[in-house]
Amino acid sequence: MKAELTNMKLDHLGIAVKSLEAGIRFYHDALGLEVGPVEEVSREKVRVAMLPLGETRVELLEATAPESTIAKFVKKRGEGLHHIAIKVPDLTAAIAKLQSSGARLVNPEPQIGAGGHRYVFVHPKDSCGVLLELVEK
Ligand code: ZN
């Protein structure tokens, strides 16, 4: 199992924003990052813009409904870094390793997110206070 897990990389940094347009005005217009595809992930109730940054990306997340986890995050803590995402070659193996180490997942079953990739979130209590997304790529 170990060999399959050595090929991990930072995939993206997820930033919760009040407005995707305002976020793009800063990260694209002012900072100069390119804007990749903008997608709505209806199950998560978010609109997402991906801005490539070297080998990684900035993911701007805007809530599309008040019950969205992003809406709750912004209401409670304001805009800011919401999660970091690490890409793994084998999500099933990564989940097995995490669970055998006692780490909890927010949702035990992998979800399908932006770009059609499978992902899970590790509970921040088990990852030192950082919401950690694992994406299979
Ligand atoms: Zn993400």
Side-chain angles (χ1 to χ4, degrees), residues 12 14 59 83 85 121 133:
H12 62 266
E59 175 184 52
H83 64 271
F121 280 102
E133 178 182 2

Side-chain angles (χ1 to χ4, degrees), residues 9-15 48-53 55-61 81-87 114 117 119 121 131-135 137:
K9 284 187 175 161
L10 182 63
D11 188 71
H12 62 266
L13 303 166
I15 299 175
V48 174
M50 282 292 189
L51 292 78
L53 173 60
E55 287 191 8
T56 181
R57 294 170 297 166
V58 170
E59 175 184 52
L60 301 178
L61 301 136
L81 188 62
H82 177 260
H83 64 271
I84 66 173
I86 293 174
K87 63 180 149 193
H117 297 290
Y119 70 93
F121 280 102
L131 181 61
L132 188 64
E133 178 182 2
L134 298 181
V135 195
K137 288 189 178 174

